């Protein structure tokens, strides 16, 4: 096992296209780290530079304190699992898993033991003599993971390995990969564009945008304390609601949006003093917006909005609403009855609200 360190890493393609910019990160030994962000944010490029499949323009990559900038991929002691499985169609599952070890001239007994041990871990023992075309997508992905396991590398790299699976299989494979990490206790670096995968699997998550790290933290910290508007909107399902407006000191400190105004809680006022009179973005998560039955709680403020779309989800319902120029989503109890077109009054739990600078999009409070 080994940690991985990236120091001031850049990747610039021809034409001065910067894919990764000043990437600094230390991944500790045994950590499950997830790189997440929208398509084109540089997460896969970063993974490929760690693997040696992309040349580093500037900076240093270390694996177990060894600088590997000029070390070939085969000598970096890492194993990579790809999105498209990359299995040999003419080989059996056993031979696919054993192929890398045969190239490294491992003894036959050692190869057999490693392949059968990995097959048992992944539930592939009964499929070792089948070829990839006789397997489901989930089973093929297990074979790809098994091929990595048998090498017993210092670190595993996963490049969007679940993208080709259906929704139910993705959930199952998420659990299996998490259990695998628990059992192997090996460093794993996992790339995905799916924030649900990131939140459910990672010990720590690195959110990227335009090749730059936006925030690196554990899942709970990312959710409760986003560093900026991008992270706040990217992490969470449904995403955080954003309201544009101004902070004023009229009749106590309030946030005034288009068509509504809400009281700013006492604990947020000191941090917002410098923004009084300035354009500000208020962020409220859908679960912090509830139906205001029996009047608003002192720590909440009410908004009356038009109900435009209703999405029943079983245990809860998503309401899509509009007030002034703002559209937003509320997660409400599935037993609350309303119909499209209704004017509904909702309470915003502003003690859990976030405020962002309109120009920099950095968090204020």
């Amino acid at each position: 096992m080994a940690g991985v360190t990236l120091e001031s890493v850049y990747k610039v393609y021809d034409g001065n296209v910067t894919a990764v910019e000043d990437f600094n990160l230390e991944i500790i030994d045994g950590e499950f780290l997830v790189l997440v962000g929208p398509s084109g944010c540089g997460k896969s490029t970063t993974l490929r530079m760690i693997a040696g499949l992309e040349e580093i323009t500037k900076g240093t990559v270390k694996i177990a304190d060894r600088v590997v900038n000029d070390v070939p991929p085969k000598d970096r002691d890492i194993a990579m699992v790809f999105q498209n499985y990359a299995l040999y169609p003419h080989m059996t599952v056993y031979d696919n898993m054993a192929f890398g070890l045969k190239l490294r001239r491992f003894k036959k007994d050692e190869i057999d033991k490693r392949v059968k041990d990995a097959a048992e871990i992944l539930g592939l023992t009964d499929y070792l003599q089948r070829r990839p075309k006789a397997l489901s997508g989930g089973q093929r992905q297990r074979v790809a993971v098994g091929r990595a396991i048998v090498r017993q590398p210092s670190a595993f790299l996963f490049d969007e390995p679940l993208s080709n699976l259906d929704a139910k299989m993705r959930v199952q494979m998420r659990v299996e990969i998490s259990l695998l990490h628990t059992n192997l206790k090996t460093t794993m670096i996992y790339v995905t564009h799916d924030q649900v995968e990131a939140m459910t699997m990672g010990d720590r998550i690195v959110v990227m945008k335009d090749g730059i790290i936006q925030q690196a933290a554990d899942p709970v910290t990312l959710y409760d304390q986003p560093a900026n508007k991008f992270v706040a909107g990217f992490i969470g399902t449904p995403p955080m609601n954003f309201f544009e407006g101004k902070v004023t000191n009229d009749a106590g400190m309030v946030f005034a949006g288009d068509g509504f105004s809400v009281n700013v809680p006492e604990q947020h006022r000191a941090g917002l003093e410098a923004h009084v009179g300035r354009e500000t973005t208020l962020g409220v998560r859908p679960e912090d917006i509830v139906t205001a039955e029996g009047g608003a709680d002192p720590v909440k403020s009410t908004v009356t909005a038009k109900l435009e779309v209703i999405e029943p989800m079983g245990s809860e319902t998503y309401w899509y609403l509009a007030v002034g120029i703002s559209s937003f989503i509320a997660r409400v109890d599935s037993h609350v009855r309303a119909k499209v077109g209704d004017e509904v009054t909702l309470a915003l739990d502003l003690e859990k609200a976030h405020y962002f600078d309109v120009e920099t999009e950095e968090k204020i409070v």
Side-chain angles (χ1 to χ4, degrees):
M1 295 189 294
V4 178
T5 304
L6 296 93
E7 299 173 349
S8 301
V9 171
Y10 286 75
K11 178 61 184 179
V12 182
Y13 291 104
D14 294 340
N16 290 325
V17 177
T18 301
V20 178
E21 180 177 346
D22 196 21
F23 194 102
N24 290 278
L25 188 69
E26 182 177 356
I27 305 161
I28 64 174
D29 187 8
E31 182 175 22
F32 195 129
L33 182 111
V34 179
L35 300 174
V36 68
S39 297
C41 72
K43 56 189 183 295
S44 288
T45 301
T46 301
L47 194 77
R48 291 172 65 83
M49 285 192 288
I50 296 170
L53 302 176
E54 288 279 0
E55 185 178 344
I56 299 166
T57 304
K58 186 168 66 173
T60 302
V61 174
K62 296 178 182 178
I63 300 176
D65 297 325
R66 177 177 68 139
V67 176
V68 296
N69 288 34
D70 300 317
V71 176
K74 67 183 179 64
D75 297 326
R76 295 195 180 195
D77 195 22
I78 54 92
M80 193 160 179
V81 179
F82 297 92
Q83 177 180 343
N84 62 356
Y85 319 138
L87 301 178
Y88 296 106
H90 63 288
M91 292 185 182
T92 64
V93 168
Y94 183 101
D95 289 335
N96 264 284
M97 293 170 66
F99 186 69
L101 300 181
K102 291 177 179 177
L103 289 180
R104 290 167 175 78
R105 301 186 183 281
F106 277 73
K107 292 182 179 179
K108 186 175 181 180
D109 289 348
E110 178 66 13
I111 292 174
D112 190 64
K113 182 179 185 304
R114 289 195 184 192
V115 169
K116 288 181 178 177
D117 286 349
E120 185 173 350
I121 291 171
L122 295 166
L124 291 171
T125 302
D126 294 337
Y127 304 95
L128 287 175
Q129 298 310 313
R130 293 191 188 184
R131 286 182 169 78
K133 66 180 180 181
L135 303 175
S136 68
Q139 289 166 341
R140 291 178 194 176
Q141 192 56 272
R142 287 197 194 99
V143 176
V145 173
R147 185 175 53 193
I149 290 175
V150 297
R151 291 185 54 191
Q152 299 179 1
S154 295
F156 289 93
L157 310 183
F158 294 86
D159 190 8
E160 304 206 38
L162 310 186
S163 296
N164 292 336
L165 304 179
D166 61 49
K168 183 177 180 180
M169 185 57 67
R170 282 201 302 271
V171 173
Q172 182 179 335
M173 284 301 299
R174 282 206 315 257
V175 174
E176 291 185 8
I177 292 174
S178 295
L179 286 172
L180 186 65
H181 177 254
T182 300
N183 293 330
L184 298 179
K185 297 179 174 60
T186 306
T187 305
M188 292 187 176
I189 307 171
Y190 188 102
V191 162
T192 181
H193 63 273
D194 185 337
Q195 56 95 8
V196 173
E197 279 183 30
M199 293 290 283
T200 55
M201 298 176 74
D203 297 326
R204 189 160 51 119
I205 301 169
V206 177
V207 182
M208 295 183 68
K209 177 189 177 189
D210 300 331
I212 299 171
I213 294 176
Q214 302 297 305
Q215 189 173 0
D218 65 89
V220 174
T221 299
L222 274 184
Y223 193 80
D224 291 341
Q225 303 172 38
N228 55 42
K229 184 180 175 182
F230 175 80
V231 175
F234 191 82
I235 299 296
T237 304
M240 183 181 287
N241 299 297
F242 296 113
F243 303 91
E244 304 301 325
K246 287 185 178 181
V247 176
T248 74
N249 270 329
D250 300 335
M253 187 176 285
V254 302
F255 176 87
D258 181 43
F260 74 100
S261 64
V262 290
N263 298 318
V264 174
E266 185 69 35
Q267 68 266 35
H268 293 166
R269 293 180 184 181
L272 289 170
E273 281 291 348
H275 271 71
V276 171
R278 293 168 56 184
E279 294 291 331
T280 304
T281 301
L282 169 68
V284 184
R285 294 206 179 274
E287 61 267 32
D288 296 326
I289 304 175
V290 298
T291 52
E293 297 171 353
D297 187 273
V299 298
K300 298 181 176 71
S301 287
T302 58
V303 171
T304 299
K306 183 179 179 180
L307 182 54
E308 297 190 320
V309 176
I310 298 173
E311 284 188 349
M313 304 296 290
S315 61
E316 61 190 9
T317 298
Y318 297 165
W319 284 1
Y320 292 76
L321 305 113
V323 56
I325 61 171
S326 299
S327 298
F328 65 101
I329 306 172
R331 287 170 62 174
V332 302
D333 187 280
S334 61
H335 298 96
V336 176
R337 295 290 173 247
K339 61 182 184 296
V340 171
D342 284 354
E343 293 285 330
V344 294
T345 301
L346 298 153
L348 280 57
D349 188 346
L350 294 180
E351 286 192 344
K352 298 178 182 177
H354 305 263
Y355 300 84
F356 304 92
D357 185 281
V358 168
E359 294 182 2
T360 67
E361 296 194 350
E362 294 297 310
K363 187 175 178 179
I364 306 165
V365 177

